[in-house]
Amino acid sequence: MDASTRTKSRSKKPQYSRFTQQELPAWKPILTPKWIITSFVIIAILFTPAGLLCLWASERVVEIIDRYDDDCLPDSYSTDPDSFIQSNNTNKTCVRTLKVPRKMTAPIFIYYQLDNFYQNHRRYVKSRSDKQLRDPDEADETEDCKPINGNDDGPIVPCGLVAWSLFNDTYKFFKGNKAIDIDKKDIAWESDKKYKFGSNVYPKNFQNWELIGGGALDESKPLSEQEDLIVWMKTAALPTFRKLYGKINTDLEANETITVVIQNNYNTYVFGGEKKVALSTANWIGGKNDFFGISFLTIGGVCFFVAINFILLYVLKPRPLGDPSYLSWNRNQGAQ
């Protein structure tokens, strides 16, 4: 075997292809002033009406928000709200009155809103056992749930800080003397009920020790049917969040007065939090949210402003495309 043959057999040169040699057809646009101005104008034309449409849709959503944590605390407990919440002898019933600003078409969604509650804290988020929530044979999988993992009667199901701090304020709505039915069915995601919470996993030893964190659970119902718990355990990313409490399936007319009877059970006073009840309609954009509209209008306005500036520069100070006199070495020669 001669030298040339040995060299060829040991070569690590890859096999030739148009892909490895980057010879595939490609679009290489030349960014001319006309092309850039046209692009910015098109973006402005698309985004500006889209922003106006989003703002219009958001404005059509009817929303009522009422903060009640301070007003539902008796004056005699204003300096010691913890004792009011923790005592079993205090009357925690609170009556609020809401006025409907515009007609609210069913379904009307009822939310509770918490402020300054950090569900995104690392230790709080990790304090749960997903295996235990799905499988009754994994009831002892409570290592990640400490300190809310068990007591003298055995493991706690569901364990962890997330479940232990379950929101337990309750709301009843009245129109005049007539109670308004609250539909609490299907407030949780179907995928969560089917795959994350077992239909044969039942609460056990829950809130059964000296320190009570929040609401209790019905031990005769499996976790997959306890939708308030499922909604609560989908932790929020921000310290201000809303969670779905239920739905009203009847229309509320404009200027009607709604009475809300609240059981003020949940302790937000200890960490300086706030509690609000919110009623909201929804449409194709969802709930009331001006963010998309403002964002689209901002993008459209900026693109329109940039396009105008480029047009002025192109008209007032035109220059030939690809003029070599603007190259640095050519300008240096001109100066010399």
Side-chain angles (χ1 to χ4, degrees), residues 129-294:
S129 174
D130 291 322
K131 290 182 179 180
Q132 186 197 65
L133 296 173
R134 291 192 302 265
D135 189 350
D137 295 331
E138 302 289 348
D140 294 329
E141 287 288 333
T142 61
E143 182 66 25
D144 294 333
C145 296
K146 292 181 179 179
I148 316 296
N149 59 332
N151 52 32
D152 294 338
D153 297 325
I156 296 174
V157 181
C159 66
L161 290 170
V162 184
W164 175 77
S165 60
L166 174 65
F167 185 81
N168 62 337
D169 281 7
T170 61
Y171 310 119
K172 293 181 180 179
F173 292 83
F174 295 87
K175 185 164 56 174
N177 295 324
K178 183 180 179 182
I180 301 175
D181 292 332
I182 299 177
D183 182 9
K184 297 182 72 69
K185 186 178 180 182
D186 295 330
I187 62 174
W189 289 12
E190 190 65 30
S191 58
D192 288 350
K193 292 189 290 183
K194 189 174 181 179
Y195 299 110
K196 293 186 178 182
F197 294 81
S199 59
N200 53 355
V201 179
Y202 292 84
K204 183 172 63 175
N205 293 329
F206 190 69
Q207 305 290 18
N208 186 25
W209 66 333
E210 65 275 5
L211 189 60
I212 305 299
L217 296 174
D218 186 352
E219 295 192 356
S220 64
K221 293 173 61 176
L223 296 185
S224 61
E225 296 180 12
Q226 312 231 21
E227 297 195 40
D228 284 326
L229 172 70
I230 298 173
V231 171
W232 175 256
M233 293 198 69
K234 187 175 286 293
T235 53
L238 300 174
T240 296
F241 59 86
R242 290 182 183 178
K243 292 184 183 288
L244 187 59
Y245 181 83
K247 294 176 287 188
I248 297 175
N249 293 320
T250 57
D251 295 347
L252 298 178
E253 300 297 330
N255 299 319
E256 279 188 332
T257 300
I258 305 299
T259 302
V260 188
V261 179
I262 302 171
Q263 290 296 320
N264 185 24
N265 298 315
Y266 200 70
N267 190 1
T268 57
Y269 307 101
V270 68
F271 56 86
E274 298 177 2
K275 293 188 290 187
K276 299 173 185 176
V277 58
L279 276 68
S280 177
T281 59
N283 55 25
W284 60 268
I285 202 173
K288 196 173 189 66
N289 186 353
D290 295 337
F291 175 78
F292 290 112
I294 294 173

Side-chain angles (χ1 to χ4, degrees), residues 13-40:
K13 181 180 178 180
Q15 185 178 2
Y16 171 81
S17 72
R18 297 182 67 188
F19 176 77
T20 58
Q21 298 303 316
Q22 300 184 17
E23 294 177 356
L24 294 175
W27 181 51
K28 300 177 182 178
I30 299 174
L31 302 181
T32 63
K34 291 182 180 179
W35 197 92
I36 292 296
I37 291 170
T38 302
S39 299
F40 277 113

